[in-house]
Amino acid sequence: MLDQQKIINNVQTFVKQKLADDFSGHDMAHIERVVKLAQQILKHEPTANHFIVILSAYLHDVIDEKVVSDVNHAINELHDFLIQQTISQNEIEHIFDIIENMSYRKNLTQKKALSLEGQIVQDADRLDAIGAIGIARTFYYGGNKHNIMYDPTILPRTLLNEENYKQPNTVINHFYEKLFLLKDRMNTQVAKKIALKRHAILVEFVKQFEKEWGGDEEEVIL
């Protein structure tokens, strides 16, 4: 069996190849940040399986329909790749359980029961969706999908399900429909603390954005 660090290195190379052409904010830079955030959370969760957390953090977007055109093909390809790494069937199943059930969209109508490892990766991914980086990624993704930035006549949706969540909307509405809610949906204590600061950045940004959009900026007296 390959040693764990060798497997992690192979997985990192695999993911880098798969996401090389991504321009939606789900690129390798995002992946590396999620891995680092997961490692930070792991310091406070000693009972978690570090190997599963790191592999899942690296792999969490390679079968996501936001990133790949053929999900079933991506799943089969990933499964074959993991078998080649001599990872046990239980470990493969654990990784797939995490990356197939951790997304915000999959948890809209019913919260999925994730293992501790899954909760850590989910928290790390959600933390990268908020704060300064989260703001940048939101507009980057919105532009990639040709969504308009803002229209005050289009109100945020309140009853979202897996199907209508995928429908186009304004970038600013995404803050109300998802990003503002993430603070209260973190699983681990350390992620909850990190989320507080990042959430405040989101709120201040949207407040200022809407003020400037309406031309309500305070007059500066020189």
Side-chain angles (χ1 to χ4, degrees), residues 99-128:
I99 66 178
E100 289 185 320
N101 292 294
M102 61 175 273
S103 73
Y104 187 78
R105 178 174 54 83
K106 289 288 183 70
N107 288 267
L108 278 167
T109 55
Q110 183 177 356
K111 182 177 173 59
K112 303 286 186 179
L114 294 173
S115 63
L116 173 59
E117 291 76 16
Q119 292 175 30
I120 291 170
V121 180
Q122 185 182 65
D123 279 357
D125 187 40
R126 289 180 171 183
L127 285 173
D128 201 56

Side-chain angles (χ1 to χ4, degrees), residues 141-165:
Y141 182 82
N144 180 268
K145 298 300 180 182
H146 306 290
N147 293 332
I148 63 172
M149 281 203 300
Y150 184 49
D151 182 341
T153 67
I154 302 176
L155 300 178
R157 300 164 296 182
T158 53
L159 296 175
L160 288 168
N161 55 46
E162 199 170 331
E163 208 45 50
N164 66 17
Y165 179 74

